[in-house]
Amino acid sequence: MRVITARVLLGVAAAGLFGGLSGGCAPLRSHQGYVLDVDLINSVQPGVDNRQSVLAVLGKPTFASQFNQGDWYYLGRDSRNLAYTNPKATTQLALKVSFDANGTVTGIARTGVEQIAAIDPSRKTTPTLGRERSFFSELFGNIGTVGAAGAGGGQGGNTRDAP
């Protein structure tokens, strides 16, 4: 009887350990921005709706353009990541609602994940103009330059030649 209970206890402990370790690898999902409702988005019609009706149907925009008659943008993104990796966007919606001068909807444009720009920095340094200097030339490069011609050193006061 004790052998069976020991095996059962060992099996339960192993299952708990496996479940705990595999739980750390579960994908984490997140949502940022506007919550999509396709029916509401499709109900906005160019030439029919105006700013007030769009505000009533879709709500306050994520941001509004300062130019182009004040276009409204609704942004929403779903992303996921595993453990300690950076999040990757799985779906994205960028909805642009354009208005004319009277405030009537003139167009609706939708874009998705294809508009996400991937930035891959080449190095962890900022390129600068000038010459490349090594660690030791930075450390010991100024030895002997104090008081040298054109170094701006020397004694204060009059720098003109005396007669």
Side-chain angles (χ1 to χ4, degrees):
M1 186 86 171
R2 288 182 178 239
V3 175
I4 294 174
T5 59
R7 286 184 183 171
V8 170
L9 183 62
L10 183 61
V12 169
L17 180 64
F18 178 73
L21 291 176
S22 66
C25 295
L28 301 173
R29 293 188 173 106
S30 64
H31 178 80
Q32 300 169 324
Y34 185 71
V35 178
L36 308 176
D37 188 352
V38 179
D39 294 332
L40 290 178
I41 293 171
N42 291 336
S43 70
V44 176
Q45 298 297 320
V48 175
D49 289 313
N50 58 17
R51 289 184 193 271
Q52 294 300 328
S53 63
V54 172
L55 187 62
V57 172
L58 297 179
K60 185 177 176 182
T62 306
F63 65 92
S65 173
Q66 298 293 323
F67 308 104
N68 301 334
Q69 315 290 329
D71 295 340
W72 287 359
Y73 295 90
Y74 295 88
L75 303 174
R77 176 186 292 181
D78 291 321
S79 59
R80 66 171 230 162
N81 64 320
L82 294 172
Y84 301 104
T85 59
N86 290 331
K88 300 251 184 202
T90 55
T91 60
Q92 174 174 307
L93 172 72
L95 182 70
K96 175 185 171 186
V97 181
S98 301
F99 299 98
D100 63 5
N102 297 329
T104 305
V105 176
T106 59
I108 299 172
R110 300 176 196 188
T111 58
V113 180
E114 68 277 356
Q115 293 292 320
I116 298 175
I119 299 172
D120 187 22
S122 60
R123 294 184 288 171
K124 292 186 177 181
T125 60
T126 304
T128 59
L129 298 176
R131 62 183 181 168
E132 294 286 328
R133 296 182 69 172
S134 67
F135 171 75
F136 290 108
S137 70
E138 287 285 335
L139 188 62
F140 300 115
N142 289 331
I143 294 177
T145 59
V146 176
Q155 298 178 2
N158 190 1
T159 57
R160 295 187 324 184
D161 291 335

PDB file of all heavy atoms in Angstrom, residues 30-71:
ATOM      1  N   SER A  30      -1.551  40.929 -25.081  1.00  0.00           N
ATOM      2  CA  SER A  30      -1.938  42.252 -24.607  1.00  0.00           C
ATOM      3  C   SER A  30      -2.639  43.017 -25.730  1.00  0.00           C
ATOM      4  O   SER A  30      -2.463  42.709 -26.905  1.00  0.00           O
ATOM      5  CB  SER A  30      -0.716  43.026 -24.120  1.00  0.00           C
ATOM      6  OG  SER A  30       0.174  43.274 -25.186  1.00  0.00           O
ATOM      7  N   HIS A  31      -3.416  43.993 -25.341  1.00  0.00           N
ATOM      8  CA  HIS A  31      -4.094  44.865 -26.295  1.00  0.00           C
ATOM      9  C   HIS A  31      -3.794  46.302 -25.909  1.00  0.00           C
ATOM     10  O   HIS A  31      -3.840  46.674 -24.742  1.00  0.00           O
ATOM     11  CB  HIS A  31      -5.606  44.641 -26.290  1.00  0.00           C
ATOM     12  CG  HIS A  31      -6.320  45.552 -27.236  1.00  0.00           C
ATOM     13  ND1 HIS A  31      -6.387  45.307 -28.577  1.00  0.00           N
ATOM     14  CD2 HIS A  31      -6.959  46.723 -27.030  1.00  0.00           C
ATOM     15  CE1 HIS A  31      -7.049  46.287 -29.164  1.00  0.00           C
ATOM     16  NE2 HIS A  31      -7.412  47.164 -28.236  1.00  0.00           N
ATOM     17  N   GLN A  32      -3.508  47.119 -26.914  1.00  0.00           N
ATOM     18  CA  GLN A  32      -3.249  48.536 -26.710  1.00  0.00           C
ATOM     19  C   GLN A  32      -4.136  49.328 -27.652  1.00  0.00           C
ATOM     20  O   GLN A  32      -4.259  48.989 -28.816  1.00  0.00           O
ATOM     21  CB  GLN A  32      -1.788  48.872 -27.000  1.00  0.00           C
ATOM     22  CG  GLN A  32      -0.810  48.136 -26.130  1.00  0.00           C
ATOM     23  CD  GLN A  32       0.612  48.293 -26.628  1.00  0.00           C
ATOM     24  OE1 GLN A  32       0.850  48.344 -27.820  1.00  0.00           O
ATOM     25  NE2 GLN A  32       1.544  48.369 -25.707  1.00  0.00           N
ATOM     26  N   GLY A  33      -4.726  50.394 -27.156  1.00  0.00           N
ATOM     27  CA  GLY A  33      -5.456  51.307 -28.013  1.00  0.00           C
ATOM     28  C   GLY A  33      -6.932  51.006 -28.146  1.00  0.00           C
ATOM     29  O   GLY A  33      -7.576  50.474 -27.244  1.00  0.00           O
ATOM     30  N   TYR A  34      -7.451  51.345 -29.310  1.00  0.00           N
ATOM     31  CA  TYR A  34      -8.879  51.283 -29.618  1.00  0.00           C
ATOM     32  C   TYR A  34      -9.359  49.836 -29.695  1.00  0.00           C
ATOM     33  O   TYR A  34      -8.717  48.985 -30.304  1.00  0.00           O
ATOM     34  CB  TYR A  34      -9.115  51.995 -30.951  1.00  0.00           C
ATOM     35  CG  TYR A  34     -10.558  52.114 -31.358  1.00  0.00           C
ATOM     36  CD1 TYR A  34     -11.417  52.969 -30.696  1.00  0.00           C
ATOM     37  CD2 TYR A  34     -11.055  51.376 -32.418  1.00  0.00           C
ATOM     38  CE1 TYR A  34     -12.740  53.088 -31.072  1.00  0.00           C
ATOM     39  CE2 TYR A  34     -12.374  51.487 -32.804  1.00  0.00           C
ATOM     40  CZ  TYR A  34     -13.203  52.338 -32.126  1.00  0.00           C
ATOM     41  OH  TYR A  34     -14.513  52.449 -32.499  1.00  0.00           O
ATOM     42  N   VAL A  35     -10.483  49.538 -29.070  1.00  0.00           N
ATOM     43  CA  VAL A  35     -11.081  48.208 -29.132  1.00  0.00           C
ATOM     44  C   VAL A  35     -11.961  48.147 -30.382  1.00  0.00           C
ATOM     45  O   VAL A  35     -12.888  48.937 -30.541  1.00  0.00           O
ATOM     46  CB  VAL A  35     -11.907  47.899 -27.863  1.00  0.00           C
ATOM     47  CG1 VAL A  35     -12.565  46.539 -27.972  1.00  0.00           C
ATOM     48  CG2 VAL A  35     -11.027  47.975 -26.636  1.00  0.00           C
ATOM     49  N   LEU A  36     -11.666  47.213 -31.264  1.00  0.00           N
ATOM     50  CA  LEU A  36     -12.327  47.129 -32.568  1.00  0.00           C
ATOM     51  C   LEU A  36     -13.735  46.572 -32.471  1.00  0.00           C
ATOM     52  O   LEU A  36     -13.992  45.639 -31.714  1.00  0.00           O
ATOM     53  CB  LEU A  36     -11.535  46.205 -33.485  1.00  0.00           C
ATOM     54  CG  LEU A  36     -10.050  46.473 -33.643  1.00  0.00           C
ATOM     55  CD1 LEU A  36      -9.441  45.394 -34.492  1.00  0.00           C
ATOM     56  CD2 LEU A  36      -9.825  47.813 -34.256  1.00  0.00           C
ATOM     57  N   ASP A  37     -14.602  47.155 -33.232  1.00  0.00           N
ATOM     58  CA  ASP A  37     -15.933  46.599 -33.451  1.00  0.00           C
ATOM     59  C   ASP A  37     -16.228  46.817 -34.933  1.00  0.00           C
ATOM     60  O   ASP A  37     -16.531  47.927 -35.367  1.00  0.00           O
ATOM     61  CB  ASP A  37     -16.983  47.278 -32.574  1.00  0.00           C
ATOM     62  CG  ASP A  37     -18.331  46.569 -32.651  1.00  0.00           C
ATOM     63  OD1 ASP A  37     -18.481  45.657 -33.491  1.00  0.00           O
ATOM     64  OD2 ASP A  37     -19.222  46.932 -31.868  1.00  0.00           O
ATOM     65  N   VAL A  38     -16.096  45.759 -35.706  1.00  0.00           N
ATOM     66  CA  VAL A  38     -16.199  45.844 -37.159  1.00  0.00           C
ATOM     67  C   VAL A  38     -17.555  46.390 -37.594  1.00  0.00           C
ATOM     68  O   VAL A  38     -17.632  47.176 -38.548  1.00  0.00           O
ATOM     69  CB  VAL A  38     -15.921  44.462 -37.797  1.00  0.00           C
ATOM     70  CG1 VAL A  38     -16.056  44.518 -39.297  1.00  0.00           C
ATOM     71  CG2 VAL A  38     -14.542  43.974 -37.409  1.00  0.00           C
ATOM     72  N   ASP A  39     -18.603  46.022 -36.909  1.00  0.00           N
ATOM     73  CA  ASP A  39     -19.940  46.512 -37.274  1.00  0.00           C
ATOM     74  C   ASP A  39     -20.040  48.027 -37.118  1.00  0.00           C
ATOM     75  O   ASP A  39     -20.613  48.714 -37.967  1.00  0.00           O
ATOM     76  CB  ASP A  39     -21.014  45.829 -36.433  1.00  0.00           C
ATOM     77  CG  ASP A  39     -21.112  44.341 -36.727  1.00  0.00           C
ATOM     78  OD1 ASP A  39     -20.775  43.953 -37.870  1.00  0.00           O
ATOM     79  OD2 ASP A  39     -21.514  43.582 -35.825  1.00  0.00           O
ATOM     80  N   LEU A  40     -19.475  48.552 -36.033  1.00  0.00           N
ATOM     81  CA  LEU A  40     -19.499  50.004 -35.839  1.00  0.00           C
ATOM     82  C   LEU A  40     -18.641  50.730 -36.868  1.00  0.00           C
ATOM     83  O   LEU A  40     -19.021  51.782 -37.377  1.00  0.00           O
ATOM     84  CB  LEU A  40     -19.037  50.357 -34.423  1.00  0.00           C
ATOM     85  CG  LEU A  40     -19.970  49.980 -33.285  1.00  0.00           C
ATOM     86  CD1 LEU A  40     -19.350  50.340 -31.949  1.00  0.00           C
ATOM     87  CD2 LEU A  40     -21.317  50.650 -33.452  1.00  0.00           C
ATOM     88  N   ILE A  41     -17.480  50.154 -37.178  1.00  0.00           N
ATOM     89  CA  ILE A  41     -16.600  50.776 -38.171  1.00  0.00           C
ATOM     90  C   ILE A  41     -17.270  50.790 -39.537  1.00  0.00           C
ATOM     91  O   ILE A  41     -17.222  51.786 -40.265  1.00  0.00           O
ATOM     92  CB  ILE A  41     -15.242  50.049 -38.217  1.00  0.00           C
ATOM     93  CG1 ILE A  41     -14.484  50.265 -36.905  1.00  0.00           C
ATOM     94  CG2 ILE A  41     -14.400  50.522 -39.389  1.00  0.00           C
ATOM     95  CD1 ILE A  41     -13.247  49.434 -36.757  1.00  0.00           C
ATOM     96  N   ASN A  42     -17.937  49.696 -39.895  1.00  0.00           N
ATOM     97  CA  ASN A  42     -18.616  49.622 -41.197  1.00  0.00           C
ATOM     98  C   ASN A  42     -19.860  50.501 -41.261  1.00  0.00           C
ATOM     99  O   ASN A  42     -20.336  50.816 -42.355  1.00  0.00           O
ATOM    100  CB  ASN A  42     -18.995  48.175 -41.514  1.00  0.00           C
ATOM    101  CG  ASN A  42     -17.774  47.324 -41.793  1.00  0.00           C
ATOM    102  OD1 ASN A  42     -16.728  47.839 -42.189  1.00  0.00           O
ATOM    103  ND2 ASN A  42     -17.894  46.039 -41.554  1.00  0.00           N
ATOM    104  N   SER A  43     -20.391  50.923 -40.124  1.00  0.00           N
ATOM    105  CA  SER A  43     -21.581  51.765 -40.137  1.00  0.00           C
ATOM    106  C   SER A  43     -21.273  53.215 -40.486  1.00  0.00           C
ATOM    107  O   SER A  43     -22.174  53.967 -40.849  1.00  0.00           O
ATOM    108  CB  SER A  43     -22.293  51.694 -38.785  1.00  0.00           C
ATOM    109  OG  SER A  43     -21.524  52.345 -37.796  1.00  0.00           O
ATOM    110  N   VAL A  44     -20.018  53.632 -40.401  1.00  0.00           N
ATOM    111  CA  VAL A  44     -19.646  55.002 -40.771  1.00  0.00           C
ATOM    112  C   VAL A  44     -19.545  55.072 -42.293  1.00  0.00           C
ATOM    113  O   VAL A  44     -18.766  54.344 -42.903  1.00  0.00           O
ATOM    114  CB  VAL A  44     -18.314  55.403 -40.109  1.00  0.00           C
ATOM    115  CG1 VAL A  44     -17.877  56.778 -40.557  1.00  0.00           C
ATOM    116  CG2 VAL A  44     -18.427  55.337 -38.602  1.00  0.00           C
ATOM    117  N   GLN A  45     -20.339  55.942 -42.912  1.00  0.00           N
ATOM    118  CA  GLN A  45     -20.419  56.041 -44.376  1.00  0.00           C
ATOM    119  C   GLN A  45     -19.936  57.405 -44.855  1.00  0.00           C
ATOM    120  O   GLN A  45     -20.388  58.437 -44.334  1.00  0.00           O
ATOM    121  CB  GLN A  45     -21.859  55.839 -44.837  1.00  0.00           C
ATOM    122  CG  GLN A  45     -22.438  54.489 -44.498  1.00  0.00           C
ATOM    123  CD  GLN A  45     -21.692  53.370 -45.193  1.00  0.00           C
ATOM    124  OE1 GLN A  45     -21.302  53.499 -46.354  1.00  0.00           O
ATOM    125  NE2 GLN A  45     -21.476  52.281 -44.480  1.00  0.00           N
ATOM    126  N   PRO A  46     -19.029  57.440 -45.829  1.00  0.00           N
ATOM    127  CA  PRO A  46     -18.599  58.717 -46.404  1.00  0.00           C
ATOM    128  C   PRO A  46     -19.770  59.434 -47.075  1.00  0.00           C
ATOM    129  O   PRO A  46     -20.611  58.823 -47.721  1.00  0.00           O
ATOM    130  CB  PRO A  46     -17.540  58.315 -47.434  1.00  0.00           C
ATOM    131  CG  PRO A  46     -17.079  56.965 -47.014  1.00  0.00           C
ATOM    132  CD  PRO A  46     -18.260  56.311 -46.363  1.00  0.00           C
ATOM    133  N   GLY A  47     -19.824  60.748 -46.894  1.00  0.00           N
ATOM    134  CA  GLY A  47     -20.884  61.551 -47.473  1.00  0.00           C
ATOM    135  C   GLY A  47     -22.161  61.589 -46.650  1.00  0.00           C
ATOM    136  O   GLY A  47     -23.021  62.417 -46.878  1.00  0.00           O
ATOM    137  N   VAL A  48     -22.324  60.683 -45.693  1.00  0.00           N
ATOM    138  CA  VAL A  48     -23.531  60.620 -44.878  1.00  0.00           C
ATOM    139  C   VAL A  48     -23.249  61.127 -43.466  1.00  0.00           C
ATOM    140  O   VAL A  48     -23.980  61.963 -42.938  1.00  0.00           O
ATOM    141  CB  VAL A  48     -24.082  59.175 -44.824  1.00  0.00           C
ATOM    142  CG1 VAL A  48     -25.272  59.067 -43.894  1.00  0.00           C
ATOM    143  CG2 VAL A  48     -24.411  58.687 -46.212  1.00  0.00           C
ATOM    144  N   ASP A  49     -22.194  60.601 -42.861  1.00  0.00           N
ATOM    145  CA  ASP A  49     -21.884  60.934 -41.463  1.00  0.00           C
ATOM    146  C   ASP A  49     -21.067  62.219 -41.369  1.00  0.00           C
ATOM    147  O   ASP A  49     -20.401  62.630 -42.321  1.00  0.00           O
ATOM    148  CB  ASP A  49     -21.108  59.786 -40.814  1.00  0.00           C
ATOM    149  CG  ASP A  49     -21.985  58.574 -40.587  1.00  0.00           C
ATOM    150  OD1 ASP A  49     -23.096  58.756 -40.066  1.00  0.00           O
ATOM    151  OD2 ASP A  49     -21.558  57.451 -40.922  1.00  0.00           O
ATOM    152  N   ASN A  50     -21.126  62.824 -40.174  1.00  0.00           N
ATOM    153  CA  ASN A  50     -20.328  64.011 -39.889  1.00  0.00           C
ATOM    154  C   ASN A  50     -19.534  63.768 -38.599  1.00  0.00           C
ATOM    155  O   ASN A  50     -19.573  62.671 -38.047  1.00  0.00           O
ATOM    156  CB  ASN A  50     -21.207  65.255 -39.789  1.00  0.00           C
ATOM    157  CG  ASN A  50     -22.272  65.116 -38.729  1.00  0.00           C
ATOM    158  OD1 ASN A  50     -22.192  64.258 -37.859  1.00  0.00           O
ATOM    159  ND2 ASN A  50     -23.283  65.957 -38.810  1.00  0.00           N
ATOM    160  N   ARG A  51     -18.841  64.797 -38.123  1.00  0.00           N
ATOM    161  CA  ARG A  51     -18.005  64.642 -36.927  1.00  0.00           C
ATOM    162  C   ARG A  51     -18.817  64.181 -35.717  1.00  0.00           C
ATOM    163  O   ARG A  51     -18.360  63.322 -34.961  1.00  0.00           O
ATOM    164  CB  ARG A  51     -17.299  65.952 -36.602  1.00  0.00           C
ATOM    165  CG  ARG A  51     -16.212  66.315 -37.565  1.00  0.00           C
ATOM    166  CD  ARG A  51     -15.512  67.591 -37.102  1.00  0.00           C
ATOM    167  NE  ARG A  51     -14.681  68.135 -38.153  1.00  0.00           N
ATOM    168  CZ  ARG A  51     -13.415  67.817 -38.348  1.00  0.00           C
ATOM    169  NH1 ARG A  51     -12.842  66.968 -37.546  1.00  0.00           N
ATOM    170  NH2 ARG A  51     -12.733  68.358 -39.330  1.00  0.00           N
ATOM    171  N   GLN A  52     -19.988  64.752 -35.518  1.00  0.00           N
ATOM    172  CA  GLN A  52     -20.796  64.397 -34.361  1.00  0.00           C
ATOM    173  C   GLN A  52     -21.278  62.945 -34.418  1.00  0.00           C
ATOM    174  O   GLN A  52     -21.263  62.242 -33.408  1.00  0.00           O
ATOM    175  CB  GLN A  52     -22.007  65.348 -34.243  1.00  0.00           C
ATOM    176  CG  GLN A  52     -21.629  66.780 -33.941  1.00  0.00           C
ATOM    177  CD  GLN A  52     -20.871  66.913 -32.627  1.00  0.00           C
ATOM    178  OE1 GLN A  52     -21.098  66.165 -31.689  1.00  0.00           O
ATOM    179  NE2 GLN A  52     -19.965  67.877 -32.566  1.00  0.00           N
ATOM    180  N   SER A  53     -21.686  62.483 -35.586  1.00  0.00           N
ATOM    181  CA  SER A  53     -22.165  61.097 -35.683  1.00  0.00           C
ATOM    182  C   SER A  53     -21.007  60.108 -35.539  1.00  0.00           C
ATOM    183  O   SER A  53     -21.181  59.041 -34.946  1.00  0.00           O
ATOM    184  CB  SER A  53     -22.908  60.876 -37.002  1.00  0.00           C
ATOM    185  OG  SER A  53     -22.047  61.052 -38.102  1.00  0.00           O
ATOM    186  N   VAL A  54     -19.824  60.446 -36.065  1.00  0.00           N
ATOM    187  CA  VAL A  54     -18.657  59.575 -35.894  1.00  0.00           C
ATOM    188  C   VAL A  54     -18.260  59.530 -34.429  1.00  0.00           C
ATOM    189  O   VAL A  54     -17.932  58.464 -33.890  1.00  0.00           O
ATOM    190  CB  VAL A  54     -17.485  60.049 -36.781  1.00  0.00           C
ATOM    191  CG1 VAL A  54     -16.212  59.284 -36.459  1.00  0.00           C
ATOM    192  CG2 VAL A  54     -17.822  59.900 -38.247  1.00  0.00           C
ATOM    193  N   LEU A  55     -18.308  60.664 -33.761  1.00  0.00           N
ATOM    194  CA  LEU A  55     -17.995  60.711 -32.331  1.00  0.00           C
ATOM    195  C   LEU A  55     -18.987  59.869 -31.535  1.00  0.00           C
ATOM    196  O   LEU A  55     -18.613  59.174 -30.591  1.00  0.00           O
ATOM    197  CB  LEU A  55     -18.003  62.160 -31.844  1.00  0.00           C
ATOM    198  CG  LEU A  55     -17.528  62.412 -30.423  1.00  0.00           C
ATOM    199  CD1 LEU A  55     -16.073  62.000 -30.271  1.00  0.00           C
ATOM    200  CD2 LEU A  55     -17.692  63.873 -30.080  1.00  0.00           C
ATOM    201  N   ALA A  56     -20.268  59.886 -31.928  1.00  0.00           N
ATOM    202  CA  ALA A  56     -21.283  59.093 -31.227  1.00  0.00           C
ATOM    203  C   ALA A  56     -21.113  57.602 -31.484  1.00  0.00           C
ATOM    204  O   ALA A  56     -21.340  56.780 -30.595  1.00  0.00           O
ATOM    205  CB  ALA A  56     -22.675  59.539 -31.660  1.00  0.00           C
ATOM    206  N   VAL A  57     -20.698  57.229 -32.709  1.00  0.00           N
ATOM    207  CA  VAL A  57     -20.590  55.813 -33.062  1.00  0.00           C
ATOM    208  C   VAL A  57     -19.258  55.215 -32.614  1.00  0.00           C
ATOM    209  O   VAL A  57     -19.214  54.181 -31.956  1.00  0.00           O
ATOM    210  CB  VAL A  57     -20.776  55.621 -34.583  1.00  0.00           C
ATOM    211  CG1 VAL A  57     -20.468  54.197 -35.001  1.00  0.00           C
ATOM    212  CG2 VAL A  57     -22.186  55.992 -34.980  1.00  0.00           C
ATOM    213  N   LEU A  58     -18.142  55.857 -32.971  1.00  0.00           N
ATOM    214  CA  LEU A  58     -16.819  55.297 -32.694  1.00  0.00           C
ATOM    215  C   LEU A  58     -16.195  55.803 -31.401  1.00  0.00           C
ATOM    216  O   LEU A  58     -15.252  55.202 -30.901  1.00  0.00           O
ATOM    217  CB  LEU A  58     -15.867  55.597 -33.858  1.00  0.00           C
ATOM    218  CG  LEU A  58     -16.236  54.995 -35.206  1.00  0.00           C
ATOM    219  CD1 LEU A  58     -15.218  55.387 -36.253  1.00  0.00           C
ATOM    220  CD2 LEU A  58     -16.348  53.482 -35.106  1.00  0.00           C
ATOM    221  N   GLY A  59     -16.672  56.919 -30.893  1.00  0.00           N
ATOM    222  CA  GLY A  59     -16.089  57.475 -29.680  1.00  0.00           C
ATOM    223  C   GLY A  59     -14.957  58.436 -30.006  1.00  0.00           C
ATOM    224  O   GLY A  59     -14.693  58.766 -31.163  1.00  0.00           O
ATOM    225  N   LYS A  60     -14.288  58.874 -28.958  1.00  0.00           N
ATOM    226  CA  LYS A  60     -13.190  59.827 -29.102  1.00  0.00           C
ATOM    227  C   LYS A  60     -12.030  59.165 -29.844  1.00  0.00           C
ATOM    228  O   LYS A  60     -11.655  58.033 -29.546  1.00  0.00           O
ATOM    229  CB  LYS A  60     -12.745  60.278 -27.718  1.00  0.00           C
ATOM    230  CG  LYS A  60     -11.693  61.340 -27.731  1.00  0.00           C
ATOM    231  CD  LYS A  60     -11.359  61.775 -26.321  1.00  0.00           C
ATOM    232  CE  LYS A  60     -10.229  62.786 -26.361  1.00  0.00           C
ATOM    233  NZ  LYS A  60      -9.844  63.202 -25.023  1.00  0.00           N
ATOM    234  N   PRO A  61     -11.427  59.862 -30.829  1.00  0.00           N
ATOM    235  CA  PRO A  61     -10.323  59.259 -31.580  1.00  0.00           C
ATOM    236  C   PRO A  61      -9.063  59.132 -30.729  1.00  0.00           C
ATOM    237  O   PRO A  61      -8.903  59.836 -29.729  1.00  0.00           O
ATOM    238  CB  PRO A  61     -10.108  60.236 -32.742  1.00  0.00           C
ATOM    239  CG  PRO A  61     -10.622  61.533 -32.241  1.00  0.00           C
ATOM    240  CD  PRO A  61     -11.743  61.208 -31.308  1.00  0.00           C
ATOM    241  N   THR A  62      -8.182  58.234 -31.150  1.00  0.00           N
ATOM    242  CA  THR A  62      -6.900  58.076 -30.470  1.00  0.00           C
ATOM    243  C   THR A  62      -6.115  59.374 -30.562  1.00  0.00           C
ATOM    244  O   THR A  62      -5.559  59.838 -29.582  1.00  0.00           O
ATOM    245  CB  THR A  62      -6.097  56.918 -31.092  1.00  0.00           C
ATOM    246  OG1 THR A  62      -6.919  55.749 -31.091  1.00  0.00           O
ATOM    247  CG2 THR A  62      -4.838  56.651 -30.316  1.00  0.00           C
ATOM    248  N   PHE A  63      -6.055  59.965 -31.745  1.00  0.00           N
ATOM    249  CA  PHE A  63      -5.521  61.315 -31.909  1.00  0.00           C
ATOM    250  C   PHE A  63      -6.080  61.927 -33.170  1.00  0.00           C
ATOM    251  O   PHE A  63      -6.569  61.234 -34.053  1.00  0.00           O
ATOM    252  CB  PHE A  63      -3.985  61.352 -31.893  1.00  0.00           C
ATOM    253  CG  PHE A  63      -3.316  60.640 -33.022  1.00  0.00           C
ATOM    254  CD1 PHE A  63      -2.975  61.319 -34.180  1.00  0.00           C
ATOM    255  CD2 PHE A  63      -3.005  59.304 -32.925  1.00  0.00           C
ATOM    256  CE1 PHE A  63      -2.356  60.668 -35.218  1.00  0.00           C
ATOM    257  CE2 PHE A  63      -2.381  58.648 -33.969  1.00  0.00           C
ATOM    258  CZ  PHE A  63      -2.053  59.328 -35.115  1.00  0.00           C
ATOM    259  N   ALA A  64      -6.021  63.256 -33.227  1.00  0.00           N
ATOM    260  CA  ALA A  64      -6.547  64.003 -34.366  1.00  0.00           C
ATOM    261  C   ALA A  64      -5.404  64.741 -35.042  1.00  0.00           C
ATOM    262  O   ALA A  64      -4.494  65.245 -34.374  1.00  0.00           O
ATOM    263  CB  ALA A  64      -7.611  64.988 -33.915  1.00  0.00           C
ATOM    264  N   SER A  65      -5.451  64.815 -36.353  1.00  0.00           N
ATOM    265  CA  SER A  65      -4.419  65.489 -37.125  1.00  0.00           C
ATOM    266  C   SER A  65      -4.532  66.994 -36.963  1.00  0.00           C
ATOM    267  O   SER A  65      -5.632  67.545 -36.865  1.00  0.00           O
ATOM    268  CB  SER A  65      -4.559  65.115 -38.601  1.00  0.00           C
ATOM    269  OG  SER A  65      -3.677  65.879 -39.386  1.00  0.00           O
ATOM    270  N   GLN A  66      -3.415  67.652 -36.953  1.00  0.00           N
ATOM    271  CA  GLN A  66      -3.396  69.107 -36.907  1.00  0.00           C
ATOM    272  C   GLN A  66      -3.591  69.701 -38.296  1.00  0.00           C
ATOM    273  O   GLN A  66      -3.890  70.873 -38.431  1.00  0.00           O
ATOM    274  CB  GLN A  66      -2.064  69.597 -36.327  1.00  0.00           C
ATOM    275  CG  GLN A  66      -1.825  69.157 -34.908  1.00  0.00           C
ATOM    276  CD  GLN A  66      -2.795  69.794 -33.936  1.00  0.00           C
ATOM    277  OE1 GLN A  66      -3.159  70.950 -34.078  1.00  0.00           O
ATOM    278  NE2 GLN A  66      -3.246  69.027 -32.951  1.00  0.00           N
ATOM    279  N   PHE A  67      -3.381  68.905 -39.322  1.00  0.00           N
ATOM    280  CA  PHE A  67      -3.470  69.356 -40.703  1.00  0.00           C
ATOM    281  C   PHE A  67      -4.560  68.569 -41.419  1.00  0.00           C
ATOM    282  O   PHE A  67      -5.218  67.719 -40.839  1.00  0.00           O
ATOM    283  CB  PHE A  67      -2.121  69.141 -41.413  1.00  0.00           C
ATOM    284  CG  PHE A  67      -0.972  69.735 -40.646  1.00  0.00           C
ATOM    285  CD1 PHE A  67      -0.116  68.934 -39.921  1.00  0.00           C
ATOM    286  CD2 PHE A  67      -0.766  71.096 -40.633  1.00  0.00           C
ATOM    287  CE1 PHE A  67       0.934  69.473 -39.214  1.00  0.00           C
ATOM    288  CE2 PHE A  67       0.277  71.655 -39.922  1.00  0.00           C
ATOM    289  CZ  PHE A  67       1.130  70.835 -39.213  1.00  0.00           C
ATOM    290  N   ASN A  68      -4.759  68.818 -42.700  1.00  0.00           N
ATOM    291  CA  ASN A  68      -5.707  68.070 -43.530  1.00  0.00           C
ATOM    292  C   ASN A  68      -7.126  68.087 -42.962  1.00  0.00           C
ATOM    293  O   ASN A  68      -7.770  67.049 -42.836  1.00  0.00           O
ATOM    294  CB  ASN A  68      -5.261  66.619 -43.723  1.00  0.00           C
ATOM    295  CG  ASN A  68      -3.912  66.520 -44.363  1.00  0.00           C
ATOM    296  OD1 ASN A  68      -3.494  67.424 -45.090  1.00  0.00           O
ATOM    297  ND2 ASN A  68      -3.205  65.453 -44.084  1.00  0.00           N
ATOM    298  N   GLN A  69      -7.645  69.208 -42.603  1.00  0.00           N
ATOM    299  CA  GLN A  69      -9.012  69.359 -42.105  1.00  0.00           C
ATOM    300  C   GLN A  69      -9.232  68.619 -40.782  1.00  0.00           C
ATOM    301  O   GLN A  69     -10.358  68.366 -40.399  1.00  0.00           O
ATOM    302  CB  GLN A  69     -10.038  68.844 -43.135  1.00  0.00           C
ATOM    303  CG  GLN A  69      -9.814  69.274 -44.542  1.00  0.00           C
ATOM    304  CD  GLN A  69     -10.084  70.760 -44.748  1.00  0.00           C
ATOM    305  OE1 GLN A  69     -10.908  71.323 -44.078  1.00  0.00           O
ATOM    306  NE2 GLN A  69      -9.382  71.367 -45.670  1.00  0.00           N
ATOM    307  N   GLY A  70      -8.182  68.241 -40.094  1.00  0.00           N
ATOM    308  CA  GLY A  70      -8.334  67.568 -38.807  1.00  0.00           C
ATOM    309  C   GLY A  70      -8.784  66.129 -38.920  1.00  0.00           C
ATOM    310  O   GLY A  70      -9.790  65.759 -38.332  1.00  0.00           O
ATOM    311  N   ASP A  71      -8.091  65.288 -39.669  1.00  0.00           N
ATOM    312  CA  ASP A  71      -8.428  63.869 -39.776  1.00  0.00           C
ATOM    313  C   ASP A  71      -8.352  63.215 -38.396  1.00  0.00           C
ATOM    314  O   ASP A  71      -7.556  63.589 -37.554  1.00  0.00           O
ATOM    315  CB  ASP A  71      -7.472  63.164 -40.728  1.00  0.00           C
ATOM    316  CG  ASP A  71      -7.587  63.660 -42.155  1.00  0.00           C
ATOM    317  OD1 ASP A  71      -8.634  64.249 -42.486  1.00  0.00           O
ATOM    318  OD2 ASP A  71      -6.647  63.457 -42.932  1.00  0.00           O
TER     319      ASP A  71
END
